[in-house]
Amino acid sequence: MKVAKHTFDAVIVGAGGAGLRAALQLSEAGMKTAVLTKVFPTRSHTVAAQGGVAASLGNSTEDNWHWHMYDTVKGSDWLGDQDAIEFMVKKANEVVVELEHYGMPFDRTDNGKIYQRPFGGHSQNYGQTPVSRSCAAADRTGHAMLHALYQRNVRANTQFFVEWMAMDLIRNAEGDVLGVTAMEMETGEVSIFHAKATIFATGGAGRIYYSSTNAFINTGDGVGMAARAGIPLEDMEFWQFHPTGVAGAGVLITEGVRGEGGILRNSSGERFMERYAPNLKDLASRDVVSRSMVTEINEGRGCGSDKDHVLLDITHLSPETINKRLPGIREISIQFAGVDPIKAPIPVVPTCHYQMGGIPTNYKGQVVVPKDGNSNVPVAGFYAAGECACASVHGANRLGTNSLLDLLVFGKAAGETVVNDFKSGQLTLRPLPENAADVSLARIARLESQTNGEDVHEVRLAMQRTMQKHAGVFRFADSLKEGVTRILEVAERAKTTQIKDKSKVWNTARTEALELDNLIEVAKATMISAEARKESRGAHVRDDAIDCAETPNGRDDKNWLKHTLWYSEGNRLDYKPVNLQPLSPEVEPIALAKRTY
Amino acid sequence: MSSKRTVQFKIYRYDPDKDDKPYMQDISVELEESDKKLLDALVRLKAKDDTLSFRRSCREGVCGSDAMNINGKNGLACLTAIDELAQPITIRPLPGLPVVRDVIVDMTQFFKQYHSIKPYLINNDPAPERERLQTPEDREELNGLYECILCACCSTSCPSFWWNPDKFVGPAGLLAAYRFLADTRDQATSERLDNLEDPYRLFRCHSIMNCVDVCPKGLNPTKAIGKIKDMMVRRAV
């Protein structure tokens, strides 16, 4: 097969929030940039974010970045790196105001400022009372943000390769990153994108689970590519189960519903969160709310004929508030739950939502790996931002609205780092190895010739069922052990998937087979990292971790206050320290404490 | 509703790699009880025959990927209830755009028109340190405009767009044009109106209102186009 070669200063993979924000920095700096995306940019999954983006603007209630930093560190169950967290919360106002200047249609307060609403885990005065920190455009914040970012890129003449699927990372013998291979979906042709800098902004892999709020396209492409190319994945055992997915359908109902006053109720109509989180109640952190819901269901207080969900009630809110602040939720609820939330509560259940782990980076967006005794050595030419990256600001549990903030701050930071390195001449076009596209061509050739293999959708389903069963909201030591065996079996099956479609033109069967290779890497990383972490922390909660004075909530700081690093080769695990030191010497570290809401 | 049911389809099929010409395929698929939307059924069909190609992503009506012609009317597969459709369910690509394969169309012309209206805020004042202020009432003017998902259901149901896709901006592009004209923060009103002052770009809209009829987000491009025409008239007098 003939392989075309394109040369650019930089290639960005992914055109969601992080990719588009990074692209703006590069385009405005005049760098010759290619943005590869497997869907038209405004179809990226950022579009589905609803409730808002965090910034301590203080437009409705008093606020400051110190409080935001405290909430984020506490939310992360102290697994977040405090230098990256300080960097993010301090940049929040700047990146949100920039978006307003780009034209993003935020809702407004009576005095014309950006409207802000309360959100889970965000507080005033170090955990005391809920704060209005989430900057919102109705309940369509992600849509408004993604379109504004795309539009700004149209203005900046960014060059997009739309419906091109990146396949493999290209590295040389020294481990430097030289670009990617990618397939044009319309023609099936594979090309090499050779660049001085490669930025991954490929989003998460929520589709490893059977029940997920995530789009079909969220297949962890960048994470899988990085893992296959020898980059370790960080903290992959931490997955967020969003408390309120529509029962049965999985579609997201924003936490902003509870921010506007929504209440979770069990089968007897009780506001059960008062028992689990007496202070913040329904606005406790997501991991806490999801576990409380599952406990209610497990103890027989679930709703419906199968007692398998709880109810999200906003019938006490005025129809005007619902129509003004939550119009999209009303639409989703009618469409997917068959109820009008003005009249009846919405059936909801915790649903896989967000990948806290990912490709390890520092706060500048550089991908970092252990080398010669140093845990965080930048990989030359390689950067990552957004959900595919792990900076790590979310640690063991992300706060709502911090994901849109993450992709803005670190998309911009990665872009700025690349622009600075480019201008200072540090970036060079390193020679391509001769066989740069061989791995990708072999993957396509295998799919062409495979016989006696299994259908892609069957193997994918087996993976999703395994993850759902063995690595869910609550985790059990025995089940995790069995899960490791099972997921490795599924991974073997994935090596011989077979497709009937042999067309070169828009072969979506082939795309799905290639995506499965990425999902499988993520699934293995998750299960193996989870089995190994013998404590409860944030979203990772095990039955064999004991809540006592030494290990509060089962969190074992003595042995497990460290980041996991999983290597695909040999399923090897390594660990590195958490950075408990903020970026600025004058900022006090947030001291370890038992996490309650 | 019974737990299992079989649904009959008639689907437009064309793979330029092997087919001389397009054909309609009769095919049926057995659904699970949880399958509610047309997209659920198409995903089941694809599990049965992986050569069926269509775009899809968010499955909740916000990404705009899975627009197609369903029993003669444009819509999103993920928001269309299966049980409300007469069978056999006839699926065709969006009309008026070149077909690439099966129900996947080439949307180049559609996006070219969208880009032609300069779909970004133009404000040449130095950026203030904080947000530009906008009253809640002024912000409300953008409701019904900014929510467009660029699915192309509207433009590809518009006879004027079918006839002149290269000259008529089409309902989606004009809705976006009015979204910026209606934004108090935008300073390019006269430049934007100049850009549409042409026998085709704006004035080929004859208020047929197919766009309003098909918009899966309940938006009203015809109304927005009327407002642009009003602005044209007002600045002429």
Side-chain angles (χ1 to χ4, degrees):
Chain A
M1 196 188 247
K2 190 174 91 276
V3 177
K5 200 179 87 179
H6 309 278
T7 305
F8 285 90
D9 291 329
V11 56
I12 298 175
V13 184
L20 290 179
R21 189 63 194 80
L24 263 187
Q25 293 308 115
L26 274 58
S27 291
E28 287 176 352
M31 286 181 69
K32 192 184 171 210
T33 307
V35 181
L36 307 183
T37 171
K38 64 179 178 176
V39 295
F40 184 79
T42 62
R43 318 223 187 280
S44 308
H45 196 52
T46 302
V47 81
Q50 298 171 352
V53 51
S56 54
L57 291 168
N59 287 352
S60 300
T61 49
E62 189 193 344
D63 202 5
N64 64 63
W65 64 261
H66 294 277
W67 295 347
H68 189 188
M69 178 168 174
Y70 170 84
D71 292 337
T72 303
V73 173
K74 177 180 169 185
S76 81
D77 218 349
W78 277 269
L79 193 69
D81 288 324
Q82 296 197 19
D83 58 339
I85 292 174
E86 181 196 328
F87 182 79
M88 179 176 81
V89 298
K90 275 168 120 172
K91 287 268 183 196
N93 291 5
E94 169 193 319
V95 293
V96 167
V97 165
E98 262 170 9
L99 270 176
E100 194 283 323
H101 294 161
Y102 296 167
M104 181 166 162
F106 284 107
D107 285 4
R108 298 290 170 156
T109 61
D110 286 341
N111 55 11
K113 294 180 179 175
I114 293 172
Y115 170 77
Q116 297 185 281
R117 61 162 60 108
F119 238 77
H122 290 281
S123 73
Q124 274 181 324
N125 211 8
Y126 310 100
Q128 287 199 347
T129 45
V131 67
S132 293
R133 187 179 288 149
S134 169
C135 309
D139 53 0
R140 304 186 179 102
T141 311
H143 172 280
M145 178 183 286
L146 188 66
H147 281 253
L149 282 171
Y150 176 68
Q151 290 160 352
R152 188 74 176 185
N153 272 283
V154 171
R155 178 179 175 271
N157 274 318
T158 299
Q159 189 178 355
F160 290 100
F161 288 74
V162 176
E163 292 170 338
W164 283 68
M165 186 190 179
M167 290 185 65
D168 291 285
L169 192 62
I170 302 172
R171 301 181 78 184
N172 63 14
E174 289 72 44
D176 308 328
V177 167
L178 314 173
V180 292
T181 55
M183 182 180 71
E184 184 180 26
M185 289 155 83
E186 188 175 329
T187 62
E189 300 276 334
V190 175
S191 296
I192 289 172
F193 286 80
H194 187 200
K196 297 173 184 173
T198 301
I199 304 178
F200 271 15
T202 55
R207 283 274 159 178
I208 62 168
Y209 284 90
Y210 180 70
S211 172
S212 172
T213 65
N214 283 200
F216 282 103
I217 57 169
N218 288 24
T219 54
D221 296 341
V223 185
M225 282 189 271
R228 283 196 305 276
I231 305 283
L233 303 183
E234 181 174 346
D235 293 340
M236 291 302 292
E237 60 270 45
F238 298 99
W239 280 85
Q240 177 158 87
F241 288 79
H242 195 290
T244 56
V246 172
V251 176
L252 175 68
I253 300 283
T254 175
E255 190 170 291
V257 171
R258 281 169 283 138
E260 295 289 345
I263 292 169
L264 291 164
R265 298 189 190 280
N266 61 19
S267 56
S268 60
E270 184 204 5
R271 183 182 193 180
F272 58 86
M273 280 312 299
E274 288 179 330
R275 275 187 279 121
Y276 298 92
N279 198 19
L280 294 187
K281 303 186 177 75
D282 299 88
L283 286 176
S285 202
R286 286 181 179 171
D287 57 334
V288 174
V289 179
S290 284
R291 278 196 293 277
S292 308
M293 291 167 70
V294 173
T295 303
E296 289 298 298
I297 293 165
N298 286 348
E299 293 180 356
R301 294 186 293 278
C303 304
S305 51
D306 294 330
K307 295 182 165 295
D308 59 355
H309 59 265
V310 300
L311 295 173
L312 175 58
D313 187 4
I314 51 170
T315 54
H316 53 287
L317 301 185
S318 73
E320 293 72 40
T321 301
I322 294 174
N323 287 327
K324 187 171 178 190
R325 300 293 182 207
L326 305 166
I329 287 311
R330 189 175 173 213
E331 199 179 312
I332 283 175
S333 191
I334 292 170
Q335 276 279 351
F336 292 96
V339 299
D340 182 344
I342 289 178
K343 297 175 191 142
I346 312 165
V348 290
V349 74
T351 306
C352 172
H353 183 58
Y354 188 86
Q355 164 193 311
M356 264 80 72
I359 302 167
T361 68
N362 56 22
Y363 71 90
K364 298 174 192 163
Q366 296 171 304
V367 174
V368 291
V369 297
K371 200 175 173 184
D372 306 328
N374 181 343
S375 304
N376 296 300
V377 178
V379 177
F382 196 24
Y383 310 79
E387 192 171 343
C388 74
C390 183
S392 142
V393 284
H394 310 304
N397 170 69
R398 173 174 72 76
L399 296 187
T401 68
N402 267 354
S403 60
L404 290 185
L405 180 60
D406 167 354
L407 58 82
L408 289 176
V409 168
F410 295 105
K412 182 177 182 182
E416 279 177 338
T417 306
V418 168
V419 168
N420 291 340
D421 290 355
F422 177 74
K423 285 187 174 161
S424 68
Q426 280 182 58
L427 293 177
T428 52
L429 196 67
R430 297 175 166 85
L432 278 176
E434 285 218 353
N435 52 1
D438 282 9
V439 173
S440 304
L441 295 177
R443 289 172 70 202
I444 287 180
R446 181 192 73 73
L447 285 169
E448 284 287 305
S449 59
Q450 182 74 47
T451 52
N452 299 319
E454 274 185 277
D455 285 346
V456 171
H457 75 96
E458 272 169 22
V459 179
R460 188 173 54 213
L461 189 62
M463 170 195 69
Q464 291 171 334
R465 296 254 190 228
T466 304
M467 297 309 295
Q468 197 78 27
K469 184 172 172 194
H470 297 283
V473 174
F474 284 106
R475 296 168 175 187
F476 303 89
D478 294 345
S479 174
L480 283 168
K481 260 205 181 75
E482 191 193 332
V484 170
T485 312
R486 295 273 169 271
I487 206 65
L488 293 176
E489 284 166 9
V490 176
E492 278 306 304
R493 289 162 64 188
K495 288 180 183 165
T496 55
T497 49
Q498 189 178 340
I499 56 176
K500 288 193 279 291
D501 194 343
K502 306 292 182 194
S503 176
K504 289 192 176 55
V505 180
W506 254 103
N507 186 333
T508 48
R510 181 162 60 193
T511 307
E512 289 185 28
L514 296 172
E515 288 172 336
L516 181 62
D517 292 342
N518 297 322
L519 285 165
I520 287 286
E521 294 297 326
V522 176
K524 284 189 295 183
T526 299
M527 195 71 85
I528 290 165
S529 305
E531 196 279 326
R533 183 175 283 272
K534 306 283 192 298
E535 65 156 354
S536 293
R537 185 184 296 271
H540 174 70
V541 164
R542 308 172 53 115
D543 64 326
D544 54 352
I546 317 277
D547 180 16
C548 62
E550 211 167 287
T551 55
N553 298 332
R555 193 183 78 204
D556 180 359
D557 291 324
K558 205 170 115 207
N559 295 301
W560 288 100
L561 183 57
K562 57 188 179 184
H563 296 295
T564 306
L565 294 174
W566 170 86
Y567 290 83
S568 181
E569 193 173 11
N571 289 306
R572 182 166 63 89
L573 289 175
D574 192 6
Y575 294 89
K576 69 174 181 181
V578 175
N579 188 350
L580 299 168
Q581 196 56 51
L583 200 56
S584 319
E586 69 275 15
V587 176
E588 285 285 314
I590 311 291
L592 284 157
K594 179 167 179 165
R595 193 163 156 256
T596 54
Y597 284 98
Chain B
M1 197 198 306
S2 64
S3 58
K4 297 249 181 185
R5 60 213 198 278
T6 302
V7 179
Q8 310 289 331
F9 279 97
K10 236 182 175 29
I11 301 191
Y12 180 100
R13 299 299 306 268
Y14 176 58
D15 175 2
D17 225 17
K18 67 177 177 59
D19 301 324
D20 295 333
K21 56 179 201 276
Y23 63 97
M24 295 302 289
Q25 179 189 26
D26 293 300
I27 188 167
S28 66
V29 68
E30 192 178 39
L31 301 183
E32 299 292 328
E33 194 182 343
S34 58
D35 296 331
K36 302 254 161 55
K37 303 294 184 188
L38 175 60
L39 181 61
D40 300 330
L42 292 175
V43 168
R44 283 234 187 263
L45 262 181
K46 187 164 177 64
K48 192 169 150 179
D49 174 5
D50 72 16
T51 67
L52 175 65
S53 290
F54 53 92
R55 294 185 177 104
R56 86 283 180 267
S57 182
C58 76
R59 61 83 165 84
E60 58 189 64
V62 69
C63 79
S65 298
D66 63 349
M68 53 190 76
N69 188 268
I70 306 156
N71 281 352
K73 189 175 169 183
N74 291 351
L76 298 182
C78 61
L79 292 185
T80 303
I82 305 164
D83 292 339
E84 287 166 19
L85 293 171
Q87 295 184 37
I89 300 168
T90 305
I91 303 289
R92 292 173 180 276
L94 290 175
L97 294 176
V99 175
V100 182
R101 176 177 174 178
D102 298 340
V103 292
I104 293 173
V105 291
D106 178 351
M107 298 183 74
T108 309
Q109 195 62 56
F110 172 78
F111 288 121
K112 207 169 167 182
Q113 290 297 1
Y114 173 68
H115 293 152
S116 80
I117 61 98
K118 299 197 174 174
Y120 43 82
L121 194 85
I122 298 174
N123 184 319
N124 294 321
D125 291 344
E129 206 167 291
R130 287 290 298 247
E131 66 262 53
R132 294 195 166 101
L133 299 181
Q134 187 173 47
T135 67
E137 295 72 32
D138 285 341
R139 164 61 184 78
E140 250 174 57
E141 292 299 314
L142 307 182
N143 286 349
L145 306 173
Y146 82 94
E147 302 93 326
C148 173
I149 58 173
L150 300 175
C151 66
C153 281
C154 60
S155 293
T156 63
S157 70
C158 173
S160 297
F161 191 76
W162 295 339
W163 282 109
N164 297 107
D166 53 335
K167 294 181 188 149
F168 174 52
V169 172
L174 291 170
L175 185 82
Y178 186 64
R179 177 251 171 275
F180 291 101
L181 285 165
D183 196 322
T184 50
R185 300 168 296 175
D186 191 89
Q187 298 175 328
T189 302
S190 71
E191 182 192 330
R192 292 185 189 281
L193 292 177
D194 290 347
N195 177 279
L196 298 171
E197 183 90 70
D198 167 286
Y200 284 92
R201 285 178 62 72
L202 171 68
F203 291 102
R204 278 286 133 168
C205 169
H206 299 306
S207 305
I208 299 166
M209 293 184 69
N210 281 1
C211 53
V212 183
D213 194 35
V214 298
C215 177
K217 304 309 284 182
L219 310 179
N220 190 332
T222 306
K223 192 171 151 196
I225 291 167
K227 290 196 171 177
I228 303 177
K229 287 179 178 170
D230 287 349
M231 292 177 86
M232 289 279 193
V233 173
R234 261 184 280 134
R235 80 161 178 172
V237 291

